[in-house]
Amino acid sequence: WIGVPTKVFNLGVYRREAVKSYQSYDFFRHDNEEAMRIRKHCALVALEDVKAYLTEDCGQIAVFDATNTTRERRDMILTFAKENSFKVFFVESVCDDPEVIAANILEVKVSSPDYPERNRENVMDDFLKRIECYKVTYQPLDPANYDKDLSFIKVINVGQRFLVNRVQDYIQSKIVYYLMNIHVQPRTIYLCRHGESEFNLVGKIGGDSGLSTRGKEFAQALKKFIKEQEIVDLKVWTSQLKRTIQTAEALGVPYEQWKILNEIDAVSSMVERPNTEEGKGVCEEMTYEEIQRKYPEEFALRDQEKYLYRYPGGESYQDLVQRLEPVIMELERQGNVLVISHQAVMRCLLAYFLDKSADELPYLRCPLHTVLALTPVAYGCKLEMISLNVEAVDTHRDKPSTATNNLPKSQTPVRMRRNSFTPLASSDTVRRPRNYSVGSRPLNPAGSLLFPKARDVADEQKLQDSVQRTAALIM
């Protein structure tokens, strides 16, 4: 979601492909030699796919999703990583709370492909016996002696306590930060835009206008909806713009204003031009039609690649994603929350919880006067769209087709935008293997399997200069 190419390699998927049909917990007995052979083979196949992803597909993080409960298995992973100059960060989840374990089995494992058309009692019994099989050979990470030099985090009883050991770089610290902020308690996140504004009525963007008559009706309808839901300990968050505050005021409950929830800064910070009011962007309070007529090149550039495009001096959707990261972390920490925000902001939040791509994000439909209820469940989020039956204008713009792109012929497709604070890769970027991050070069550099031998000293230097900065994560 924050732009780091990541892929999950779930060993259960490889096992199910190899075995086709799961029978019972007997497959996980340590004395089942045939099953142990299959499980090890699946692990080796998955690691080869990890290698291909990190060295050929320009991946930066590979999540090796398996139990890895023995030192033998973890040593195999470490040897594989050393041979390929990858870095390793282990995540160990330790839980001895019977209630948490039972709830996890019923919520997650009942819907697992291992248990098609089985009743809850049989699933509970089989998986508890499966856990007992793991206990026989389980060797926890040992921060005092055997594993003291490894990088890892222990998550104890779903976040009651944590043990963090030798965090080495930015990526690992981000993972620790994330894991220390999430929880699995039942909750619902409600997202909605402000009520229809005066500027929405006339199609103008930017500005800080108040609610229209229908926008005020929506605020009252939202108050009624929230009251009917009888939500326990609901928190309400808004931006610092007038239209979200007016919407929240009608609820008659306490609310918090977040500046970082303000709408995407696409116009109000634009470069000043002569004869314009001081501090006011050139597209402020204009309609899209007016922008297209007056600044056709900018309009076409934005349609070309909306996620990356920055208005001069403003933000792109990519910038907005980075800006909203603290909100995401706080949403992960909290219980029931209602976020009253804006179209672009709501798209970013929705994309995070629904795992939408950068191409999809700028075109997610977030209509006015509609509440989106997100309920985290196993492996995702359940989405419910609730219209409050108050009419409003439609502010959605569909993704333009290539045929309608009016980019001037002299303008070639670009990925770097004017006034970009963070330059982006050029359109002709060469895809090269990624092996290590700056400041943490592995003991043994990548061998010939990762890089072809350079023809001369100059080529070799160019090749070394081109190595991408990255970190490989295997859990």
Side-chain angles (χ1 to χ4, degrees):
W1 185 73
I2 61 173
V4 181
T6 305
K7 187 174 181 179
V8 177
F9 297 82
N10 182 283
L11 205 56
V13 174
Y14 289 82
R15 169 179 56 79
R16 283 186 282 273
E17 181 63 29
V19 178
K20 302 300 182 186
S21 175
Y22 172 78
Q23 299 300 322
S24 75
Y25 69 93
D26 282 332
F27 185 84
F28 293 93
R29 292 174 59 96
H30 72 285
D31 54 358
N32 186 334
E33 295 183 3
E34 176 64 14
M36 291 293 288
R37 184 189 65 78
I38 293 172
R39 290 166 63 191
K40 183 174 182 179
H41 174 73
C42 290
L44 292 172
V45 171
L47 287 175
E48 284 302 308
D49 288 347
V50 166
K51 177 180 175 180
Y53 175 68
L54 294 175
T55 60
E56 299 172 14
D57 298 338
C58 295
Q60 291 189 19
I61 298 177
V63 182
F64 186 68
D65 183 9
T67 50
N68 304 321
T69 49
T70 65
R71 286 176 179 168
E72 179 186 5
R73 170 63 65 82
R74 295 194 293 270
D75 286 345
M76 181 182 79
I77 294 171
L78 290 167
T79 300
F80 163 81
K82 184 176 180 180
E83 289 173 350
N84 292 283
S85 300
F86 299 151
K87 295 174 64 180
V88 181
F89 185 79
F90 287 106
V91 176
E92 180 176 20
S93 178
V94 182
C95 184
D96 55 13
D97 185 328
E99 291 185 3
V100 174
I101 293 171
N104 179 267
I105 292 173
L106 291 177
E107 181 183 357
V108 180
K109 299 305 177 183
V110 167
S111 58
S112 166
D114 284 343
Y115 300 106
E117 301 178 7
R118 295 197 183 188
N119 62 52
R120 297 162 71 90
E121 290 75 16
N122 289 346
V123 171
M124 177 71 75
D125 179 67
D126 184 82
F127 202 83
L128 286 173
K129 289 177 180 177
R130 189 160 148 181
I131 291 174
E132 291 302 316
C133 292
Y134 283 125
K135 281 185 180 179
V136 175
T137 57
Y138 174 45
Q139 296 170 293
L141 287 165
D142 178 13
N145 295 296
Y146 191 85
D147 300 310
K148 64 182 180 180
D149 295 325
L150 298 184
S151 298
F152 63 84
I153 180 174
K154 280 179 181 271
V155 182
I156 302 166
N157 282 330
V158 203
Q160 285 185 7
R161 290 188 294 127
F162 300 91
L163 190 155
V164 180
N165 195 72
R166 291 182 64 85
V167 173
Q168 296 186 54
D169 58 26
Y170 172 76
I171 290 290
Q172 292 182 6
S173 67
K174 294 287 284 186
I175 293 165
V176 169
Y177 174 58
Y178 177 76
L179 291 174
M180 292 181 73
N181 279 280
I182 62 174
H183 67 84
V184 294
Q185 299 304 315
R187 62 201 168 131
T188 299
I189 298 166
Y190 299 90
L191 304 178
C192 75
R193 292 171 64 186
H194 52 80
E196 180 187 72
S197 71
E198 296 289 353
F199 275 13
N200 288 148
L201 280 175
V202 293
K204 291 183 178 181
I205 61 175
D208 192 17
S209 64
L211 298 182
S212 69
T213 301
R214 293 188 303 196
K216 293 173 183 176
E217 289 178 23
F218 166 73
Q220 293 300 320
L222 182 62
K223 177 181 180 179
K224 181 181 177 183
F225 169 79
I226 293 299
K227 187 176 181 180
E228 290 172 347
Q229 300 304 302
E230 298 181 347
I231 305 165
V232 178
D233 297 326
L234 177 69
K235 293 188 176 181
V236 180
W237 298 350
T238 75
S239 73
Q240 291 187 347
L241 296 178
K242 187 188 302 181
R243 49 197 184 272
T244 64
I245 295 171
Q246 289 180 342
T247 305
E249 283 285 347
L251 302 182
V253 299
Y255 61 91
E256 300 175 43
Q257 296 180 26
W258 289 62
K259 185 175 182 179
I260 55 177
L261 283 173
N262 284 3
E263 181 59 302
I264 187 169
D265 189 5
V267 291
S268 60
S269 295
M270 290 189 69
V271 177
E272 294 175 27
R273 304 287 177 90
N275 302 320
T276 61
E277 184 179 341
E278 184 178 359
K280 200 175 230 187
V282 295
C283 291
E284 184 81 359
E285 303 177 8
M286 293 174 63
T287 66
Y288 280 117
E289 290 75 17
E290 289 170 336
I291 297 171
Q292 185 175 21
R293 185 170 62 251
K294 196 169 183 180
Y295 306 110
E297 183 177 337
E298 290 294 336
F299 191 86
L301 282 170
R302 186 168 186 264
D303 277 350
Q304 173 198 323
E305 203 164 15
K306 192 174 178 180
Y307 181 78
L308 295 175
Y309 175 79
R310 288 186 183 96
Y311 284 104
E315 288 180 303
S316 65
Y317 269 94
Q318 185 182 51
D319 299 324
L320 184 57
V321 162
Q322 301 291 333
R323 194 224 298 171
L324 289 171
E325 189 178 354
V327 173
I328 290 292
M329 286 298 99
E330 195 59 25
L331 283 173
E332 290 284 13
R333 286 166 50 87
Q334 297 293 335
N336 299 312
V337 181
L338 167 63
V339 183
I340 304 172
S341 61
H342 307 270
Q343 182 167 247
V345 171
M346 194 167 164
R347 282 170 172 161
C348 292
L349 298 179
L350 201 58
Y352 170 79
F353 286 105
L354 298 184
D355 193 24
K356 298 297 183 180
S357 69
D359 287 337
E360 295 173 286
L361 186 156
Y363 300 100
L364 292 176
R365 189 172 289 276
C366 299
L368 287 164
H369 301 177
T370 301
V371 177
L372 274 60
L374 293 163
T375 304
V377 294
Y379 307 117
C381 258
K382 182 179 72 175
L383 171 66
E384 183 182 5
M385 297 187 70
I386 306 149
S387 172
L388 298 194
N389 298 316
V390 179
E391 287 190 9
V393 295
D394 183 2
T395 61
H396 184 79
R397 292 182 70 242
D398 290 324
K399 186 174 184 178
S401 65
T402 306
T404 60
N405 193 322
N406 295 319
L407 193 67
K409 291 182 179 180
S410 60
Q411 176 69 60
T412 56
V414 294
R415 290 176 63 85
M416 184 182 292
R417 300 296 184 254
R418 294 199 307 273
N419 301 293
S420 295
F421 299 109
T422 306
L424 304 173
S426 65
S427 56
D428 61 346
T429 299
V430 178
R431 293 168 66 84
R432 298 187 179 93
R434 302 166 184 266
N435 294 286
Y436 49 80
S437 57
V438 163
S440 54
R441 188 182 180 109
L443 294 177
N444 297 321
S448 59
L449 288 176
L450 300 184
F451 294 100
K453 186 175 181 181
R455 288 191 296 271
D456 53 39
V457 175
D459 285 345
E460 183 175 0
Q461 184 59 49
K462 289 179 182 178
L463 190 59
Q464 292 299 323
D465 290 343
S466 72
V467 174
Q468 304 293 319
R469 296 182 289 183
T470 186
L473 165 70
I474 306 174
M475 287 189 275

